[in-house]
Amino acid sequence: MAILHKATLSPTKLELIAGYLPKQPWFIQDGTPELVGAYRFDDPAGEVGLETHVVAAGDRIYQVPLSYRGYELAGAEEWLVGTMEHSVLGKRWVYDACADPVYVKALATAILTGQEQAEQFVDNNGTLEPRPSTVSVKGSGTLDGGVPTVSASAPVSGSGVTVIDAGGLRLKIARVVDVPAELSSASAAAPELHHELTLQGTWEGLEGPVELAAVVRN
């Protein structure tokens, strides 16, 4: 469960993303980034916000996982997207979540166990009001036991995919999302993950789920 606050953000999330995308090797500058939707995973410790944004720019769809922290993540300066002022929580450090071990664990858990995105609730003066997710995701795994130990290494990006070696697992996150041709003329050039265990996602306007991430055993 993700608990959100009614707050003002400066800069906004989309402003941070728009400044970060042109610096990435998998991004092709073509139009102004626009938010399609987002989904969240839950941090069991309740300290790190984990939100993945689906962004359109030109004819392409991109996936941008972010983590929000109330303190700096040691050794992750290279993946710092920026800082923002949150009117309720104060200063927040925003990272490319692929370099955040809390996100890596949450993504692996969702894929391996078949979890869906976290339920979202807005704290309205102490009353929790449900907020529907604009992107729905679900892992394809059915693991009932504990998830293997995950130790995140530095993410490596190329050809529209970010790869994370995480101990006995290898995670692959689609940065350029392979959507049906009628929604993206560039879909033929988008990466195809097609592994046994995946994270599938849907949002308004899609006729069927698309593959957002995958996990394979090293």
Side-chain angles (χ1 to χ4, degrees), residues 9-13 16 68 82-86 90-92 94:
L9 304 177
S10 180
T12 67
K13 297 171 185 177
L16 283 177
Y68 311 118
T83 60
M84 65 167 57
E85 289 296 329
H86 190 290
K91 187 174 183 178
R92 305 291 283 171
V94 182

Side-chain angles (χ1 to χ4, degrees), residues 44-204:
E47 294 186 357
V48 182
L50 304 173
E51 185 175 31
T52 298
H53 299 265
V54 177
V55 178
D59 292 327
R60 293 172 174 80
I61 302 293
Y62 298 94
Q63 185 177 205
V64 186
L66 298 179
S67 66
Y68 311 118
R69 289 175 166 266
Y71 51 88
E72 294 182 71
L73 176 60
E77 294 84 0
E78 180 181 348
W79 293 280
L80 179 67
V81 176
T83 60
M84 65 167 57
E85 289 296 329
H86 190 290
S87 61
V88 176
L89 300 176
K91 187 174 183 178
R92 305 291 283 171
W93 280 261
V94 182
Y95 290 92
D96 184 326
C98 292
D100 195 315
V102 177
Y103 167 79
V104 174
K105 175 71 172 180
L107 176 61
T109 299
I111 294 175
L112 293 173
T113 65
Q115 285 186 13
E116 298 180 351
Q117 73 281 355
E119 291 185 279
Q120 300 182 60
F121 294 87
V122 177
D123 187 346
N124 186 8
N125 296 320
T127 301
L128 296 182
E129 301 175 347
R131 189 179 82 171
S133 179
T134 51
V135 175
S136 297
V137 299
K138 181 175 176 55
S140 65
T142 57
L143 181 65
D144 293 327
V147 174
T149 300
V150 173
S151 57
S153 64
V156 177
S157 296
S159 301
V161 176
T162 292
V163 178
I164 306 168
D165 282 322
L169 302 175
R170 175 173 292 181
L171 294 169
K172 297 188 176 184
I173 297 95
R175 297 298 203 153
V176 183
V177 180
D178 187 9
V179 298
E182 63 269 18
L183 296 179
S184 171
S185 62
S187 62
E192 296 185 2
L193 302 181
H194 300 310
H195 297 289
E196 183 178 356
L197 295 180
T198 63
L199 184 77
Q200 301 281 331
T202 59
W203 54 84
E204 185 177 358

